[in-house]
Amino acid sequence: YFKQFGLTVAVAVFFSLLVARLITPMMAAYFLRSGGHVEPKPGLAMRGYEWLLRVTLRFRWVTLGAGVAFFAGSIYAMGFLPSGFIPREDASRIVFSMELPPGSLLEDTREAADEVTRLMREMPEVENVYVVGGASPTGTLETRRATVVADLKHKSERDIPQHEIEAILLAKMETIPDVRAYFVNDRGERSLAFGVMGTDGALLDEQARKIQSEMAATGKFRGISSNAALDRPEVIVEPDLDRLAELGISTATISETLRIATMGDIDANLAKFTVGDRQIPIRVQLNEVARDDINVIAELPVPTPSGVIVPLSSVAEIRFGQGPSSISRFNRERRVVIGADMAAGAELSEGLGTVWELPAVKNMPAGARIQETGDAEIMGEVFSGFATAMTTGLMLVLVVLILLFGSVFHSFTILGSLPLAVGGVVAALWLTNSAVSMPVVIGILMLMGIVTKNAIMLVDFAVEEVKHGITRKEAIIDAGRKRARPIVMTTIAMSAGMIPAALAFGDGGEFRAPMAIAVVGGLLVSTFLSLIFVPSFYTIMDDAALGTAWLFRWLVKPNAKDEPDEAEGYGATVHALPHGPAKQMPIAAE
């Protein structure tokens, strides 16, 4: 999920660099007017910011503590936000899975699907209904299953959102006898799905029923279902082993007799009817009426090695019974998948938390366990991949900054602005009642590159000022004064560009909205706090750089105190002294 995003951003930023270094200077040469530049007088906002900046520099350790507390509070507050995989979308399209009891015929499925279609068309918001009979949304072929797709009017043409229409349609489908229906996403998965794993099929079925009952009692789920082995009617043929041994008949002979009578022989053994250059196989089998008659099955002829034909009933017991319609396995274990939809707009993380607190789940017997699957499993993988991508990205950014600035401490100063964006993300999601989902994670990754830009502008300007003999305090204040305007301008421009996406315009806009909301919130908060926090953090890290340089100088050269000329030269090269004016080396060009 992150690969395409990362490639797109990396290539786009690279071309933006080429434009900024090649095309923009050329355009500026043509369109900029000649004449001297007059620095505008600082307004009320700028004077207020400069006063606040001087205060924070005076109490820089308090400012640092406040920044750390803000980040810690943001991480704590994020724990109260719900999380999900994909935001709830209004795509004007609803997909349902419909099931009938085991043993139902295709005609029964057709009649139930016709009734479902009639009930759906009663709603004016439904434009078209499309039914695929005999198949589930995931492609499982079974005569008792069907996939129902309802196309809705565009969301601008209706007053009811899609999730309310889903609830109404499900309520209508529940009125049809012997029909179980539930909503699925475009991938055929339930909103919440998890598997009950084990080796004992009977134990898994029992545990699945207990979990479903307890889930229904919570009132937080709707359309609870499972793929537990539903028993269906069947004819059981149990061979009489003693009689078979007496006649010399194998069980394979009995199974072949039943297969040919009910399904026909294999293609290689079928007779062929030649029509021109074509050969059409002729398949012979009992008709449906005969296959449903147990007396006809009992009289099927079974050949013996001696050439004698005996009826099936003489070598086997034939009776009606029931057995599982399907058995699902995963990694050589039996698995029963339980799926449900979240009620009242709850998110996936809330549903998982409720499931893990169920008594039947907390007290699972030996030989059974719970495993997340579907969107719940993918959500865990996405968040794990986000942690890896974020950590790796930060390390790469740190390496590049160290190479560019030639200073580890200034690089950490720039990275220190990143945690400030987390509070903006949390605040924006909380105000808009949005969950932490995959688009939000992508937005946070995007913020990693955007937020560092503000700190780089401040620190780089201050470093250059110090090199020209300006004291560190005045340099960072001047950096804030002269870089605040472009920082605020770019933040406003980027936030304005994100507003249409944040408002979720168009079908499926709900997917893009959380990412835009996270980016806008992180940008606004981090921009404001970076202008205050980064200058104070810069002075602290610069002191750490000078202290580390002094410490290592004494470790490497114990007699360095006897070499004042070299010490003074070093102090003049490393920016400035922490207090008082810097010693400036003479520059030939000046």
Side-chain angles (χ1 to χ4, degrees):
Y1 291 100
F2 300 141
K3 181 178 180 179
Q4 294 83 355
F5 167 76
L7 288 174
T8 302
V9 172
V11 174
V13 170
F14 174 72
F15 276 89
S16 175
L17 172 65
L18 296 180
V19 171
R21 301 301 296 172
L22 301 176
I23 299 179
T24 302
M26 180 186 66
M27 300 295 291
Y30 278 99
F31 291 102
L32 282 182
R33 293 176 297 178
S34 60
H37 172 69
V38 179
E39 187 72 23
K41 294 183 179 180
L44 179 62
M46 182 58 68
R47 292 196 301 270
Y49 166 64
E50 185 175 345
W51 172 84
L52 180 61
L53 188 56
R54 292 184 181 275
V55 172
T56 55
L57 288 174
R58 183 178 179 183
F59 302 99
R60 53 181 182 165
W61 289 103
V62 176
T63 304
L64 176 62
V68 174
F70 178 80
F71 173 64
S74 301
I75 297 298
Y76 178 75
M78 184 172 283
F80 293 96
L81 290 175
S83 60
F85 177 50
I86 299 292
R88 189 190 300 269
E89 296 184 76
D90 191 333
S92 300
R93 183 173 181 268
I94 307 176
V95 182
F96 293 96
S97 178
M98 188 181 74
E99 296 182 19
L100 274 69
S104 300
L105 304 177
L106 186 60
E107 186 61 32
D108 301 328
T109 306
R110 181 194 301 275
E111 293 178 0
D114 291 341
E115 180 65 15
V116 168
T117 302
R118 185 188 65 82
L119 293 176
M120 285 187 172
R121 289 186 178 276
E122 292 179 353
M123 291 195 66
E125 291 80 10
V126 177
E127 283 190 337
N128 301 297
V129 179
Y130 177 71
V131 179
V132 181
S136 69
T138 56
T140 303
L141 300 179
E142 195 171 353
T143 57
R144 68 184 187 91
R145 292 175 176 267
T147 301
V148 183
V149 182
D151 290 331
L152 309 180
K153 293 181 179 179
H154 192 271
K155 63 181 182 181
S156 62
E157 301 175 1
R158 48 185 163 86
D159 300 327
I160 306 178
Q162 178 172 314
H163 67 273
E164 294 185 11
I165 298 177
E166 292 172 4
I168 296 173
L169 293 180
L170 279 176
K172 287 179 174 289
M173 298 173 75
E174 290 174 354
T175 61
I176 305 176
D178 296 332
V179 171
R180 183 175 68 177
Y182 50 85
F183 164 74
V184 297
N185 55 30
D186 290 336
R187 301 178 301 281
E189 301 284 349
R190 304 297 305 276
S191 300
L192 169 68
F194 59 93
V196 185
M197 309 285 293
T199 56
D200 189 340
L203 176 63
L204 295 185
D205 292 342
E206 180 183 358
Q207 285 300 119
R209 285 191 290 269
K210 288 182 180 179
I211 293 174
Q212 286 180 260
S213 300
E214 294 180 1
M215 289 176 64
T218 62
K220 297 182 179 181
F221 307 95
R222 67 182 186 187
I224 305 172
S225 65
S226 73
N227 66 343
L230 298 176
D231 291 341
R232 64 178 179 180
E234 60 185 11
V235 176
I236 300 176
V237 178
E238 184 176 352
D240 186 343
L241 300 182
D242 294 337
R243 182 63 173 163
L244 291 178
E246 180 182 344
L247 296 177
I249 302 174
S250 65
T251 54
T253 302
I254 295 180
S255 64
E256 184 178 2
T257 300
L258 292 169
R259 177 178 55 80
I260 294 175
T262 56
M263 299 176 58
D265 207 345
I266 60 177
D267 292 344
N269 296 335
L270 294 179
K272 304 296 191 297
F273 177 71
T274 303
V275 180
D277 58 348
R278 296 177 56 199
Q279 285 189 333
I280 303 175
I282 303 174
R283 187 179 300 277
V284 180
Q285 64 186 42
L286 296 175
N287 59 30
E288 294 183 1
V289 176
R291 290 200 297 267
D292 293 339
D293 190 343
I294 194 173
N295 295 320
V296 174
I297 301 296
E299 296 302 323
L300 290 176
V302 179
T304 65
S306 61
V308 179
I309 301 298
V310 297
L312 179 62
S313 59
S314 65
V315 294
E317 179 186 358
I318 305 170
R319 66 180 187 274
F320 285 111
Q322 59 183 15
S325 56
S326 63
I327 297 177
S328 176
R329 293 183 181 274
F330 184 78
N331 286 342
R332 298 184 178 182
E333 285 186 297
R334 293 280 293 271
R335 181 175 72 170
V336 176
V337 178
I338 300 176
D341 296 325
M342 302 305 303
E347 294 294 339
L348 181 58
S349 61
E350 301 176 52
L352 286 175
T354 301
V355 168
W356 286 110
E357 293 299 323
L358 294 176
V361 175
K362 297 176 69 175
N363 303 309
M364 292 287 287
R369 59 187 177 87
I370 295 293
Q371 182 187 53
E372 296 177 355
T373 185
D375 284 357
E377 181 181 11
I378 298 176
M379 182 183 71
E381 294 175 356
V382 166
F383 287 169
S384 175
F386 163 71
T388 303
M390 192 73 174
T391 304
T392 308
L394 289 176
M395 295 304 298
L396 290 175
V397 170
L398 177 62
V399 170
V400 172
L401 290 176
I402 292 175
L403 294 175
L404 295 178
F405 279 95
S407 170
V408 176
F409 294 94
H410 291 330
S411 302
F412 277 109
T413 302
I414 294 170
L415 292 183
S417 62
L418 290 176
L420 303 176
V422 178
V425 173
V426 174
L429 295 178
W430 180 76
L431 290 174
T432 57
N433 195 26
S434 301
V436 179
S437 56
M438 186 181 68
V440 172
V441 168
I442 293 177
I444 295 175
L445 284 175
M446 184 185 301
L447 281 173
M448 183 178 66
I450 299 173
V451 173
T452 53
K453 175 263 305 179
N454 297 338
I456 289 174
M457 294 176 68
L458 289 172
V459 173
D460 181 65
F461 190 93
V463 169
E464 291 299 321
E465 291 281 282
V466 169
K467 288 181 179 179
H468 287 80
I470 301 177
T471 62
R472 185 182 62 190
K473 180 178 179 181
E474 292 302 322
I476 195 63
I477 292 176
D478 194 39
R481 183 189 307 114
K482 294 181 178 179
R483 289 295 184 238
R485 182 179 292 107
I487 289 175
V488 173
M489 286 172 57
T490 54
T491 298
I492 294 176
M494 297 188 68
S495 300
M498 288 287 181
I499 288 178
L503 296 178
F505 288 144
D507 288 337
E510 292 80 7
F511 179 85
R512 302 182 296 270
M515 179 180 65
I517 291 171
V519 171
V520 171
L523 272 177
L524 295 178
V525 173
S526 66
T527 297
F528 174 75
L529 294 181
S530 294
L531 291 172
I532 299 174
F533 175 80
V534 170
S536 298
F537 193 40
Y538 165 75
T539 61
I540 294 174
M541 296 303 291
D542 195 60
D543 282 348
L546 294 174
T548 304
W550 179 86
L551 175 63
F552 277 91
R553 184 186 65 185
W554 281 96
L555 290 176
V556 176
K557 296 182 178 180
N559 298 324
K561 60 182 180 179
D562 299 327
E563 303 174 7
D565 296 338
E566 183 177 349
E568 291 180 3
Y570 177 81
T573 304
V574 182
H575 310 324
L577 298 176
H579 302 289
K583 295 184 179 180
Q584 182 180 5
M585 298 294 291
I587 300 176
E590 294 181 351

